Amino acid sequence: MDSSSILQFFNVKLDAFIVFVSVIFVVMLITLFFLLLDYMKMRKRYVEFMTGESGKSLEYTIYKRFREIDDLKVGQKDNDDQIAIIYNQVRKSYNKIGIHRYDAFSIEKNVTGGTLSFVLALLNSEDNGFIINTIHNRAGCHVYMKEIKNGGCEVPLSEEEGIALGMALNYGKEPEKIPEEAAEKEN
């Protein structure tokens, strides 16, 4: 089968066929030109990406970042160890406080030593610590200390020491609301 029989089969003249093929060829050349432009732009960006601004290769940059990550992991372990040490120190430190001022010698409201007496309770997070009771009168000042273990004391506590210990044990907690009837009775 020759080319003229193909043209006759499709009922197309030779000159129309040549024009059609020429138009298709020109369109393909234009498309190829734009594809080459896009390829050149992409290649330029690829080369810049792989070499970097200062001529370093991407492989070197990735290797450097992995080394930095390894250094950060070592630093993180050191930080974790230091945080554990600090946490243990904070757990042992006194972080619960209760202080109560009172007048130690107001017997009948006519003999008084002033309101300079106070009780200070200091406890750690495990409710261990001490109570310092400072009693002030005209003759001087007396200081007493009692050890607190697990929120209690082996030696009996005075009323004021109990108040300060209760304040320390409830330090940081929201105070309980007193019912209105009980508040009115106190007043």
Side-chain angles (χ1 to χ4, degrees), residues 93-149:
S93 70
Y94 298 114
N95 53 12
K96 296 179 181 180
I97 301 167
I99 190 162
H100 176 67
R101 285 184 59 180
Y102 66 100
D103 188 354
F105 297 102
S106 65
I107 298 171
E108 294 178 5
K109 301 290 183 192
N110 55 4
V111 177
T112 180
T115 58
L116 298 176
S117 300
F118 68 91
V119 178
L120 173 66
L122 295 175
L123 303 175
N124 63 15
S125 61
E126 296 171 351
D127 293 335
N128 296 325
F130 58 90
I131 291 178
I132 294 179
N133 190 352
T134 304
I135 301 173
H136 182 269
N137 62 19
R138 291 181 184 156
C141 181
H142 303 281
V143 179
Y144 303 95
M145 186 186 94
K146 295 180 181 175
E147 185 178 13
I148 304 297
K149 289 186 179 178

Side-chain angles (χ1 to χ4, degrees), residues 51-176:
T51 59
E53 292 178 9
S54 61
K56 295 179 183 175
S57 70
L58 180 63
E59 179 182 358
Y60 174 75
T61 304
I62 291 172
Y63 175 73
K64 181 180 169 186
R65 295 296 180 227
F66 278 123
R67 286 184 55 202
E68 289 173 356
I69 290 171
D70 291 341
D71 292 343
L72 287 174
K73 286 180 181 178
V74 170
Q76 179 66 35
K77 180 163 179 3
D78 290 342
N79 287 344
D80 290 344
D81 294 342
Q82 291 174 358
I83 288 171
I85 291 168
I86 292 169
Y87 176 75
N88 287 332
Q89 289 176 346
V90 167
R91 249 186 42 231
K92 294 175 185 175
S93 70
Y94 298 114
N95 53 12
K96 296 179 181 180
I97 301 167
I99 190 162
H100 176 67
R101 285 184 59 180
Y102 66 100
D103 188 354
F105 297 102
S106 65
I107 298 171
E108 294 178 5
K109 301 290 183 192
N110 55 4
V111 177
T112 180
T115 58
L116 298 176
S117 300
F118 68 91
V119 178
L120 173 66
L122 295 175
L123 303 175
N124 63 15
S125 61
E126 296 171 351
D127 293 335
N128 296 325
F130 58 90
I131 291 178
I132 294 179
N133 190 352
T134 304
I135 301 173
H136 182 269
N137 62 19
R138 291 181 184 156
C141 181
H142 303 281
V143 179
Y144 303 95
M145 186 186 94
K146 295 180 181 175
E147 185 178 13
I148 304 297
K149 289 186 179 178
N150 298 321
C153 185
E154 294 177 0
V155 180
L157 298 175
S158 69
E159 180 183 342
E160 292 82 6
E161 291 169 340
I163 292 171
L165 179 60
M167 291 170 70
L169 288 172
N170 294 316
Y171 188 79
K173 298 178 184 172
E174 193 156 324
E176 296 180 17

Side-chain angles (χ1 to χ4, degrees), residues 24-69:
I24 296 288
F25 182 73
V26 169
V27 169
M28 288 178 63
L29 280 177
I30 293 171
T31 305
L32 180 64
F33 175 74
F34 285 114
L35 285 174
L36 284 173
L37 283 178
D38 285 344
Y39 170 75
M40 296 302 282
K41 289 177 187 177
M42 190 178 296
R43 174 131 176 93
K44 180 180 176 186
R45 288 193 324 208
Y46 172 77
V47 170
E48 287 176 1
F49 178 72
M50 294 303 279
T51 59
E53 292 178 9
S54 61
K56 295 179 183 175
S57 70
L58 180 63
E59 179 182 358
Y60 174 75
T61 304
I62 291 172
Y63 175 73
K64 181 180 169 186
R65 295 296 180 227
F66 278 123
R67 286 184 55 202
E68 289 173 356
I69 290 171

